[in-house]
Amino acid sequence: GTREIRKNLIDFSLAFEKFIKNHPKSKIVLAITGKGGWGQQIESKSSHIKILGYMPENDMVALHASALLLATPSFYEGFGMPLVKSLYVGVPVLVSQNTSLSEIAGNAAILVDPQSIDSMYLGLKKILTNTKLHRQLSTNALIQAKKFSWTTTAKQTLNIYNQLFTKY
């Protein structure tokens, strides 16, 4: 995707920096991907935040699989393929409570208020410091991922087209 204002990366990076400040021995790194978009660009001098830029799809698979969590604290969002890809590899997710992503993530997610740095910080803290919760969210992610497939999407789309065709 692209790094845009609607992705809420600046406030999320502040929430992440708060997590690191309160957990100084943590070796966790926030990896931000995506090509530069419109609006304010995120920059960081923190050794705990890496702005990777655009990554080819093949490299993203390994990044998703090695992540402790996927954070999408967007102000608004569409379907969210990165979210589904993370679910497929059992990665818990942190998503905004006010986007479509909360429905897609189901019970594999911690929901946060994207307007609140404290809410995002507390969400990070829950996932990253509670091993039992992390394990449960990971299990839930694998179960939730089974709800999404291209075959199911194609069948449901064809069904809608057929309903519309017979209606008119």
Side-chain angles (χ1 to χ4, degrees):
T2 55
R3 298 184 319 265
E4 301 175 349
I5 292 171
R6 71 181 175 90
K7 300 287 187 172
N8 199 21
L9 297 173
I10 293 172
D11 283 354
F12 184 72
S13 68
L14 294 173
F16 182 78
E17 287 174 358
K18 183 175 180 177
F19 175 82
I20 294 300
K21 180 181 176 187
N22 290 321
H23 301 86
K25 293 182 181 180
S26 176
K27 295 184 190 301
I28 296 171
V29 173
L30 172 61
I32 300 174
T33 63
K35 60 186 175 186
W38 61 272
Q40 189 177 16
Q41 295 300 312
I42 184 169
E43 296 177 9
S44 177
K45 292 181 171 77
S46 171
S47 63
H48 287 273
I49 299 177
K50 304 293 183 197
I51 301 170
L52 304 177
Y54 171 79
M55 294 184 68
E57 189 61 33
N58 288 343
D59 294 342
M60 289 300 295
V61 173
L63 192 60
H64 282 282
S66 64
L68 291 173
L69 68 95
L70 173 80
T72 311
S74 303
F75 293 118
Y76 63 93
E77 200 62 64
F79 179 76
M81 286 302 293
L83 172 60
V84 175
K85 291 174 185 177
S86 290
L87 295 175
Y88 264 95
V89 292
V91 173
V93 294
L94 179 144
V95 299
S96 295
Q97 63 192 15
N98 63 333
T99 67
S100 61
L101 301 183
S102 61
E103 183 179 341
I104 295 164
N107 62 358
I110 295 294
L111 304 181
V112 297
D113 176 358
Q115 303 285 342
S116 168
I117 292 169
D118 284 339
S119 176
M120 291 183 281
Y121 161 74
L122 291 172
L124 281 169
K125 184 178 173 187
K126 282 180 189 177
I127 295 175
L128 297 175
T129 62
N130 185 330
T131 306
K132 184 177 178 182
L133 175 64
H134 190 278
R135 193 173 19 253
Q136 184 61 54
L137 292 172
S138 182
T139 299
N140 294 351
L142 294 169
I143 294 166
Q144 185 71 6
K146 292 178 183 178
K147 296 178 181 179
F148 303 99
S149 76
W150 285 116
T151 302
T152 301
T153 301
K155 286 178 183 177
Q156 290 174 345
T157 303
L158 181 60
N159 186 31
I160 290 169
Y161 287 154
N162 287 333
Q163 289 175 8
L164 290 171
F165 180 72
T166 57
K167 194 175 192 177
Y168 297 102

